[in-house]
Amino acid sequence: MKDDHDPRPPPVLEARGLVVRYGGVCAVDGVSLAVAAGEVVGLVGPNGAGKSSLFDALAGDRRPDSGEIRLGGTRIEHEGAEARLGRGMGRTFQVPRPIGSLSVLENVMLAAPGQAGEGVLASLCAPARVRAAERRLAARAAELLDDVGLDGHADANAAHLSVGQRKLLDLARLLMAEPRVLLLDEPMAGVHPATAERLGERLTALAADGRAVLFVEHQLGLVAARCTRVIAMAAGRIACEGPPAEVLADPRLAAAYLGRTA
């Protein structure tokens, strides 16, 4: 329940007491967090802190062993990733998964929800409407490729993209699905610094438009520049959280990276 004295708006995404185990290893140990519309929240911590396991649980790619996940107040921990995307929450991956047999533009178009051409009957009975919808989708996909810096690669085969370019494509595909909550797993890794700066600006704009953004990132300078709040994890738990300047200066964060207790 939200504290009446908390100045932040109510959360659109919330986890309570989340636990994820792999055999005898507790990767996520009782984590609770909340992200509100308009926030860009950075999730930081050393390798093995539990960040990706937490993302898998939040996105529906791994069912938590215990705890609750709420999206817009509705419990969703028993739903899969596709159902959560339908509710308005989606993710990108550390290792992107483009469809290599399609062009970059086609990859983005395929992510659009509710396409008019999905049904055979619609294609046969209203071909002009389907073609018009496809033109609108292509225009929107091209716009998103421009936003992420891939406008010169629209016709390229997705299999030929570099790792960094595949990350940009992954983000464009997610944006095409029009989520209200974005979970981004190391979106800037392998991306050219100038493009990373542009993407940082894009995250700020998304939050200003009422989206909620939670992203894992190892580039702490980017976290400091773009996040409204930072959550630091260590050994499966939240070590500290708060404004970027406070968290990045917190000795508990430095201790986590050095593998010792503050």
Side-chain angles (χ1 to χ4, degrees):
M1 182 177 295
K2 181 177 169 58
D3 187 339
D4 291 338
H5 300 290
D6 190 341
R8 290 178 297 173
V12 62
L13 172 64
E14 188 175 14
R16 302 177 182 177
L18 214 58
V19 174
V20 176
R21 294 189 180 91
Y22 297 95
V25 177
C26 190
V28 178
D29 189 4
V31 167
S32 297
L33 60 80
V35 184
E39 282 196 297
V40 179
V41 180
L43 185 62
V44 303
N47 291 333
K51 304 183 299 296
S52 291
S53 295
L54 175 61
F55 254 49
D56 286 346
L58 292 174
D61 294 304
R62 169 67 161 85
R63 181 171 292 186
D65 291 278
S66 61
E68 299 180 6
I69 303 171
R70 296 177 182 265
L71 183 62
T74 300
R75 289 185 62 172
I76 60 168
E77 65 268 13
H78 299 300
E79 295 183 349
E82 185 174 353
R84 296 184 198 192
L85 183 59
R87 289 185 181 274
M89 180 173 69
R91 72 170 295 179
T92 63
F93 294 86
Q94 284 185 11
V95 180
R97 306 171 182 181
I99 302 174
S101 59
L102 299 180
S103 73
V104 171
L105 184 70
E106 289 167 339
N107 264 269
V108 181
M109 291 177 64
L110 196 62
Q115 298 183 47
E118 288 178 346
V120 174
L121 186 60
S123 299
L124 293 175
C125 298
R129 181 170 64 87
V130 171
R131 287 195 297 270
E134 287 180 346
R135 286 194 294 270
R136 288 193 296 270
L137 287 178
R140 176 57 177 156
E143 179 183 346
L144 290 172
L145 289 176
D146 181 59
D147 283 347
V148 302
L150 283 178
D151 46 306
H153 301 272
D155 296 326
N157 190 294
H160 299 157
L161 296 179
S162 68
V163 173
Q165 290 169 335
R166 289 184 182 197
K167 283 184 173 287
L168 301 178
L169 174 56
D170 211 18
L171 178 57
R173 291 175 62 188
L174 176 58
L175 293 174
M176 192 70 174
E178 300 179 350
R180 55 182 171 142
V181 180
L182 291 84
L183 307 177
L184 310 179
D185 200 348
E186 297 190 33
M188 310 304 183
V191 175
H192 188 279
T195 303
E197 177 61 25
R198 183 175 179 178
L199 287 179
E201 294 172 357
R202 180 68 170 142
L203 297 185
T204 300
L206 287 167
D209 192 41
R211 312 287 183 92
V213 180
L214 175 65
F215 75 105
V216 172
E217 187 52 61
H218 288 290
Q219 299 181 45
L220 298 186
L222 175 68
V223 170
R226 294 297 173 188
C227 291
T228 54
R229 189 160 51 91
V230 177
I231 298 172
M233 288 188 69
R237 298 180 178 180
I238 293 178
C240 53
E241 66 176 298
E246 292 182 10
V247 172
L248 298 182
D250 195 307
R252 289 173 294 182
L253 179 62
Y257 276 99
L258 293 173
R260 62 173 183 253
T261 303

